[in-house]
């Protein structure tokens, strides 16, 4: 799988990333490695150390790993990958005893040369006997088709040794590089004289030594989720219950599928659950009623307005995730210019007298040494300038704010106004909205722009401090200046006047924000950010011209402008060219890299599609660098990941001169010689909506809380259902049954469906014999 790279934290031995990746890994993956690199602007990046976690180690923790792990040295002999196809046979006849080894082929070998390939050969060893295959140049998918034979002495039949098959990368200069090994106990050949299959290549030996923290440590949170996704029809009853919760609640205090779900949701999983629900209701066109339902319950259950939405309830988390789901483009329009200015100017700004470091300041005046007072005055001036720009940009952005956000805030404003009618609570309706808008949306984005895609890299220490001070000030703006002067940070006082002056304009902004016709709620394009017409990725690439006579590789790739949506991958000569060619995404069955020696070109990928007649067609596309290649691979896999007819294998080479360059087979239609990959990075805020996956997540949460649901009081469960569930465990529900009972029935049905379905897509690993 392609590597996934975090941002670079410059000039720092204690970096913080805070980045999150969701990787879709192949079913047969064995381990996950994290390499910590030192980026160099000139030459190769240096490897500081690594951490490797096995699938078993990650899967052993239900809640995932969350700990500091010491880095270990990176030994090239341990960095192996791929599999080898072998046939082993022990021959015993009257004249001689021999061990015959068929070395057929290998796939997915580690690249050892600068070109991104290797020059592999295989060595078979038993006792003092050894034999080698020929060297196959410039490939990670060698096809040998050779038979090696080792003559044995009769007494060696009684040995309890090991047959070792090693794969090496041949180097003309210097020592050969290790690519992996297979070890088979000789005793296995006594039991099974003929052994054949694919074997996973293993490291030379476990030489990973914990350096005791000398190389540093990395804090990781890793969780493995293995899910079986059923066809949509099986999830429909659960979707129906969720929809019913918000479109026809008899009384807001009554129990519903949503209240039951919150009951069984742990605090740790609430954020994930909130985003999943937001996506489900966005897909159903019901996100406004959904938020209104949760917010109304929250408001009605709050007696002290000072605590309103201050907890991490499902309502609070749902509003937070909703803003991230629909408001990211809006956030970028408002904040990006000022964030870029702060990063570019790199000013030294500090207000806390305990933290002012005169040695780190640049000269502010020509009067000699800079005093603490001058640093503070300069800092106040710069912060006032930045803060004014941020506030002005926000309060003038009413028309840019997505209508669906405005309607949701209007509903929230109405519920708070109805609950807190006293004159002294006049500001609560503003605080409820500004609490989400400023404290949970804009302030976090200013604090960590990288996590909101406002910047490609994390801020350096100096800029981070500026952003922190601005985020603090914006939080005070969001609190309408009501708590100024009560905190411990009295050194923030120079910013208090500007915060207090902004209160009137913020209230005016909030009034305008919710001044939207309520009838438009049903017309708001709630799926706008996820619709098929939205371009996921676009840019110039080089497409291989397949038709016509064979061209020299460098002339065979033509520059084209590509657009990717969730429905098509289309291309044209230029961005404004009227005529486009299109590849339907639903026909995509594999997206893979191409071996470098196929076209003698780097950074080439292939998009394999299948037409209605079952014929496969391949489009070869060249990217300008490896990062762009990874991005396009990930983007196309992302929109096609749930296609039904994905291929289990592919050819990393190309069919040229009557044979495949990878496996040398002549038949153009022969099955691929390497397993396909499905690894893809999914960002929280740009995921395509997939109701099956989202509803499966909800089902899993309910399944974990099934015992809690059974303990729900009888009046909520429903008398008839209560009796049925206690006697039979399953029943057809009627309207008189309680919501908990109906949920239990749905869970039981889904459990049965999961038991009878195998996983949607299994990789072609049935022939792989794991090393004994």
């Amino acid at each position: 799988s392609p590597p996934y790279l975090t941002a670079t934290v410059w000039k720092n031995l204690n970096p913080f990333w805070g980045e999150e990746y969701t990787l879709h890994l192949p079913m047969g993956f064995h381990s996950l490695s994290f390499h910590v690199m030192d980026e160099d602007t000139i030459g190769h990046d240096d490897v500081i150390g690594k951490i490797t976690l096995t699938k078993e180690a990650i899967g052993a923790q239900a809640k995932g790993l969350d700990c500091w792990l010491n880095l270990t040295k990176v030994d090239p002999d341990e960095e192996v990958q791929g599999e080898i196809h072998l046939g082993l046979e022990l021959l015993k006849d009257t004249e001689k005893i021999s061990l015959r080894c068929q070395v057929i082929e290998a796939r997915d070998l580690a690249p050892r040369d600068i070109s991104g390939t290797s020059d592999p050969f295989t060595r078979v060893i038993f006792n003092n006997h050894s034999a080698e295959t020929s060297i196959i140049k410039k490939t990670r998918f060698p096809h040998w088709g050779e038979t090696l034979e080792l003559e044995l002495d009769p007494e060696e039949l009684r040995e309890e040794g090991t047959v070792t098959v090693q794969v090496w990368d041949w180097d003309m200069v210097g020592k050969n590089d290790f690519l992996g090994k297979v070890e088979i106990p000789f005793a296995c050949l006594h039991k099974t004289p003929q052994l054949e299959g694919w074997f996973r290549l293993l490291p030379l030996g476990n030489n990973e030594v914990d350096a005791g923290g000398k190389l540093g440590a990395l804090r990781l949170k890793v969780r493995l989720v293995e899910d079986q996704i059923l066809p949509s029809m099986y999830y429909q009853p659960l979707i129906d219950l969720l929809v019913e919760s918000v479109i026809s609640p008899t009384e807001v205090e009554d129990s519903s599928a949503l209240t039951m779900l919150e009951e069984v949701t742990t605090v740790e999983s609430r954020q994930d659950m909130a985003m999943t629900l937001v996506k489900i209701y966005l897909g159903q066109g019901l996100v406004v009623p959904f938020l209104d339902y949760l917010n109304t319950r929250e408001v009605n259950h709050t007696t002290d307005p000072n605590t309103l939405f201050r907890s991490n309830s499902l309502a609070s988390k749902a509003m937070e995730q909703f803003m991230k789901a629909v408001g990211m483009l809006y956030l970028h329009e408002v904040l990006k210019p000022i964030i870029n200015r702060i990063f570019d100017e790199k000013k030294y700004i500090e207000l806390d007298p305990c933290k002012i470091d005169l040695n780190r300041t640049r000269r502010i005046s020509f009067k000699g040494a800079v005093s603490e007072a001058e640093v503070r005055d300069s800092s106040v001036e710069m912060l006032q300038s930045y803060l004014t720009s941020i506030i002005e940009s926000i309060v003038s952005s009413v028309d840019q704010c997505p209508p669906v956000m405005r309607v949701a805030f209007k509903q929230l404003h109405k519920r708070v106004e109805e609950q807190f009618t006293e004159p002294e609570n006049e500001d609560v309706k503003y605080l409820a909205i500004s609490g989400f808008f400023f404290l949970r949306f804009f302030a976090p984005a200013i604090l960590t722009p990288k996590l909101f895609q406002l910047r490609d890299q994390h801020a350096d220490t100096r800029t981070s401090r500026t952003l922190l001070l601005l985020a603090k000030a914006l939080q005070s703006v969001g609190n309408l200046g009501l708590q100024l002067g009560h905190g411990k940070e009295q050194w923030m006082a120079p910013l208090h006047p500007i915060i207090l002056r902004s209160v009137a304009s913020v209230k005016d902004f909030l009034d305008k924000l919710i001044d939207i016709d309520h009838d438009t709620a049903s017309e708001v394009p709630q799926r706008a950010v996820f619709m098929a017409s939205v371009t996921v990725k676009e840019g110039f690439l080089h497409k291989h011209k397949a038709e016509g006579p064979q061209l020299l590789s460098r002339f065979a790739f033509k520059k084209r402008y590509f657009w990717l949506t969730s429905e098509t991958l289309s291309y044209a000569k230029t961005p404004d060219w009227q005529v486009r060619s299109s590849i339907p995404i639903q026909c995509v069955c594999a997206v893979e890299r191409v071996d470098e020696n196929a076209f003698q070109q780097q950074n080439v990928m292939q998009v394999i599609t299948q037409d209605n007649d079952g014929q496969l067609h391949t489009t070869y596309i060249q990217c300008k660098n490896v990062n762009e290649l990874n991005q396009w691979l990930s983007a196309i896999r992302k929109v096609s990941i749930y296609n039904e007819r994905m291929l289990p294998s592919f050819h990393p080479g190309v069919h040229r001169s009557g044979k495949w360059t990878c496996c040398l087979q002549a038949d153009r239609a022969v099955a691929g010689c390497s397993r396909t990959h499905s690894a893809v990075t999914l960002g929280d805020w740009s995921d395509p909506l997939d109701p099956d996956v989202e509803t499966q997540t909800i089902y899993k949460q309910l399944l974990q809380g099934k015992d809690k649901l059974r303990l729900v009081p009888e009046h909520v469960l429903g008398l008839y259902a209560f009796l049925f569930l206690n006697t039979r465990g399953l029943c057809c529900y009627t309207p008189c049954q309680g919501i908990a009972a109906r949920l239990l029935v749905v869970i039981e049905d889904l459990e049965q469906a999961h038991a009878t379905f195998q996983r949607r897509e299994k990789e072609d690993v049935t022939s792989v014999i794991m090393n004994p």
Side-chain angles (χ1 to χ4, degrees):
S1 299
Y4 298 92
L5 307 175
T6 67
T8 301
V9 180
W10 296 95
K11 297 180 182 177
N12 196 320
L13 294 176
N14 300 290
F16 171 80
W17 287 283
E19 296 183 34
E20 191 171 304
Y21 297 88
T22 301
L23 309 181
H24 282 248
L25 299 168
M27 295 290 292
F29 93 97
H30 304 289
S31 63
L32 189 62
S33 291
F34 301 83
H35 287 67
V36 180
M37 315 287 288
D38 171 32
E39 183 168 338
D40 290 325
T41 49
I42 299 172
H44 290 289
D45 299 336
D46 300 317
V47 182
I48 296 170
K50 69 155 188 174
I51 289 164
T52 298
L53 299 173
T54 64
K55 182 179 181 180
E56 293 71 30
I58 305 169
Q61 305 289 329
K63 292 184 178 179
L65 288 172
D66 182 0
C67 56
W68 284 95
L69 296 165
N70 286 339
L71 295 174
T72 59
K73 278 184 107 171
V74 174
D75 181 348
D77 291 342
E78 301 303 313
E79 303 300 304
V80 303
Q81 65 181 54
E83 294 159 348
I84 187 167
H85 191 182
L86 298 172
L88 288 166
E89 187 176 4
L90 187 58
L91 300 169
K92 302 181 221 173
D93 54 38
T94 52
E95 294 181 15
K96 66 174 182 178
I97 300 165
S98 61
L99 175 64
R100 181 178 292 168
C101 180
Q102 277 185 290
V103 183
I104 303 165
E105 59 186 323
R107 59 192 180 194
D108 285 324
L109 296 180
R112 285 285 186 261
D113 299 337
I114 296 173
S115 64
T117 61
S118 291
D119 302 321
F121 70 91
T122 299
R123 180 183 296 149
V124 180
I125 305 168
F126 179 67
N127 283 352
N128 295 318
H129 310 283
S130 69
E132 294 179 357
T133 66
S134 57
I135 298 160
I136 310 289
K137 295 288 186 70
K138 292 187 183 300
T139 182
R140 293 172 47 232
F141 303 86
H143 184 95
W144 289 284
E146 296 182 28
T147 300
L148 305 177
E149 202 161 300
L150 305 179
E151 284 199 32
L152 307 181
D153 298 327
E155 58 270 20
E156 288 183 290
L157 286 175
R158 295 187 289 275
E159 293 277 349
E160 293 186 359
T162 300
V163 178
T164 303
V165 180
Q166 298 176 342
V167 184
W168 293 84
D169 166 48
W170 175 81
D171 281 330
M172 185 180 292
V173 180
K175 67 170 193 159
N176 297 331
D177 299 312
F178 182 71
L179 291 173
K181 70 173 182 180
V182 174
E183 291 187 336
I184 297 164
F186 191 57
C188 284
L189 294 172
H190 286 299
K191 297 175 190 171
T192 313
Q194 282 188 305
L195 199 61
E196 189 200 334
W198 283 95
F199 294 79
R200 180 159 67 99
L201 290 167
L202 298 176
L204 192 58
N206 188 12
N207 298 325
E208 293 179 19
V209 179
D210 188 330
K214 290 179 183 175
L215 295 175
L218 186 64
R219 187 180 175 189
L220 294 170
K221 290 178 76 170
V222 185
R223 187 161 62 97
L224 180 64
V225 178
E226 293 189 87
D227 257 342
Q228 177 183 7
I229 311 297
L230 301 174
S232 301
M233 58 180 284
Y234 289 91
Y235 296 113
Q236 197 57 47
L238 182 50
I239 288 281
D240 291 343
L241 277 177
L242 291 172
V243 166
E244 184 185 301
S245 296
V246 303
I247 62 170
S248 58
T250 49
E251 290 290 335
V252 80
E253 295 306 317
D254 285 354
S255 293
S256 69
L258 277 175
T259 60
M260 295 285 112
L261 181 60
E262 184 164 24
E263 198 73 27
V264 299
T265 302
T266 59
V267 176
E268 300 83 38
S269 62
R270 200 155 285 162
Q271 182 158 308
D272 289 342
M273 202 52 43
M275 182 51 106
T276 301
L277 286 168
V278 164
K279 288 182 184 178
I280 286 175
Y281 286 102
L282 271 168
Q284 295 291 324
L286 292 169
V287 75
V288 171
F290 159 65
L291 294 169
D292 187 39
Y293 175 79
L294 290 182
N295 290 340
T296 303
R297 287 182 64 89
E298 181 92 353
V299 170
N300 289 1
H301 291 163
T302 305
T303 52
D304 181 0
N306 293 315
T307 63
L308 187 61
F309 294 112
R310 297 292 175 172
S311 67
N312 284 323
S313 63
L314 190 58
S316 298
K317 287 294 180 187
M319 281 294 285
E320 194 176 313
Q321 297 305 313
F322 161 71
M323 290 188 295
K324 288 177 180 176
V326 303
M328 291 300 288
L329 293 175
Y330 165 57
L331 180 94
H332 280 219
E333 286 176 10
V334 173
L335 285 186
K336 202 158 194 175
I338 182 65
I339 293 294
N340 287 343
R341 181 185 150 202
I342 294 166
F343 270 76
D344 293 343
E345 291 182 356
K346 291 187 174 64
K347 299 285 187 183
Y348 178 77
I349 292 174
E350 185 55 76
L351 296 182
D352 186 349
C354 302
K355 292 188 175 174
I356 290 178
D357 182 356
L358 298 179
N359 294 323
R360 295 183 59 191
T361 64
R362 292 178 180 172
R363 286 188 55 175
I364 297 171
S365 68
F366 296 102
K367 299 174 183 174
V370 177
S371 69
E372 190 175 302
E374 286 175 303
V375 171
R376 195 160 51 249
D377 290 346
S378 167
S379 298
V380 169
E381 186 182 337
M382 285 308 304
L383 285 172
Q384 285 177 336
S385 170
Y386 291 148
L387 187 58
T388 300
S389 296
I390 290 169
I391 294 169
E392 284 178 356
S393 185
I394 292 173
V395 299
S396 61
S397 68
V398 171
D399 293 335
Q400 295 164 282
C401 187
V404 68
M405 271 179 73
R406 297 178 63 184
V407 173
F409 284 135
K410 179 172 183 171
Q411 290 285 83
L412 174 59
H413 179 275
K414 179 185 173 187
R415 301 305 178 194
V416 175
E417 199 171 37
E418 289 170 348
Q419 177 72 2
F420 300 103
T421 54
E422 301 83 1
E424 63 269 21
N425 290 330
E426 170 65 24
D427 281 339
V428 178
K429 60 180 182 284
Y430 292 114
L431 287 165
I433 302 173
S434 65
F436 285 117
F437 203 74
F438 288 91
L439 276 65
R440 295 193 184 220
F441 192 43
F442 280 103
I446 289 168
L447 184 64
T448 49
K450 170 71 173 71
L451 303 188
F452 287 74
Q453 287 98 50
L454 284 163
R455 296 286 296 190
D456 292 333
Q457 304 287 351
H458 286 290
D460 57 35
T461 309
R462 175 178 287 193
T463 307
S464 283
R465 182 61 181 167
T466 302
L467 295 173
L468 174 61
L469 293 171
L470 285 170
K472 284 176 182 287
L474 198 66
Q475 283 182 321
S476 296
V477 171
N479 285 324
L480 305 181
L482 294 175
Q483 295 168 5
L484 290 183
H486 298 303
K488 297 175 184 174
E489 298 172 342
Q490 294 303 316
W491 40 265
M492 289 285 285
L495 293 180
H496 290 180
I498 194 171
I499 292 168
L500 291 169
R501 281 199 302 273
S502 70
V503 170
S505 59
V506 166
K507 284 185 177 180
D508 181 56
F509 162 71
L510 296 175
D511 283 332
K512 289 175 181 172
L513 196 71
I514 61 172
D515 184 16
I516 183 168
D517 185 0
H518 196 277
D519 293 337
T520 59
S522 57
E523 299 163 19
V524 171
Q526 295 174 23
R527 280 192 71 148
V529 287
F530 301 106
M531 282 178 65
S533 59
V534 172
T535 302
V536 176
K537 190 164 178 59
E538 61 182 299
F540 276 110
L541 298 170
H542 286 79
K543 179 187 172 293
H544 186 257
K545 188 177 179 184
E547 64 275 6
Q550 289 286 334
L551 299 167
L552 290 171
S553 291
R554 64 197 180 109
F555 299 119
F557 286 89
K558 298 293 181 185
K559 192 173 184 179
R560 294 291 181 264
Y561 196 84
F562 279 79
W563 296 265
L564 174 66
T565 74
S566 61
E567 287 190 342
T568 60
L569 175 65
S570 54
Y571 55 92
K573 285 188 177 180
T574 62
D576 50 5
W577 200 263
Q578 296 302 309
V579 182
R580 294 188 188 184
S581 302
S582 287
I583 298 169
I585 291 300
Q586 65 185 31
C587 297
V588 171
C589 48
V591 187
E592 297 292 338
R593 293 164 179 249
V594 176
D595 210 12
E596 194 173 310
N597 67 349
F599 295 107
Q600 302 303 316
Q601 297 278 344
Q602 293 183 327
N603 308 316
V604 178
M605 65 177 176
Q606 55 183 310
V607 180
I608 305 171
T609 54
Q610 194 170 31
D611 61 25
N612 292 332
D613 298 327
Q615 292 291 312
L616 296 181
H617 305 275
T618 306
T619 304
Y620 296 100
I621 301 169
Q622 185 179 28
C623 304
K624 64 184 177 187
N625 56 46
V626 71
N627 282 340
E628 188 178 68
L629 173 66
N630 286 340
Q631 288 166 13
W632 276 97
L633 278 170
S634 188
I636 302 172
R637 284 173 181 167
K638 177 176 169 179
V639 295
S640 61
I641 197 166
Y642 297 112
N643 284 2
E644 290 179 5
R645 294 186 292 180
M646 300 303 283
L647 292 176
S649 60
F650 78 106
H651 289 284
V654 65
H655 197 271
R656 190 172 60 225
S657 304
K659 64 183 178 185
W660 287 99
T661 58
C662 44
C663 57
L664 307 182
Q665 297 190 76
D667 184 2
R668 181 186 284 273
V670 72
C673 57
S674 186
R675 288 211 307 272
T676 51
H677 302 87
S678 60
V680 49
T681 306
L682 298 174
D684 269 349
W685 306 314
S686 53
D687 286 357
L689 295 178
D690 189 306
D692 296 344
V693 174
E694 287 138 18
T695 318
Q696 168 67 18
T697 304
I698 300 295
Y699 156 70
K700 279 181 67 180
Q701 187 67 52
L702 289 167
L703 186 64
Q704 289 172 11
K706 193 166 73 165
D707 292 339
K708 270 189 181 179
L709 287 174
R710 290 190 183 280
L711 297 174
V712 169
E714 187 180 317
H715 71 277
V716 178
L717 195 63
L719 176 60
Y720 296 114
F722 184 77
L723 294 171
F724 264 116
L725 285 163
N726 273 286
T727 56
R728 295 170 62 187
L730 247 183
C731 62
C732 294
Y733 59 76
T734 61
C736 66
Q737 288 181 275
I739 192 67
R742 294 171 64 187
L743 269 175
L744 283 166
V745 170
V746 169
I747 294 166
E748 295 272 7
D749 286 346
L750 280 168
E751 267 192 293
Q752 286 191 1
H754 273 284
T756 54
F757 267 83
Q758 295 196 345
R759 293 190 181 279
R760 289 175 80 184
E761 189 65 52
K762 276 195 175 180
E763 289 205 327
D764 183 24
V765 292
T766 51
S767 65
V768 176
I769 301 173
M770 298 312 293
N771 299 327

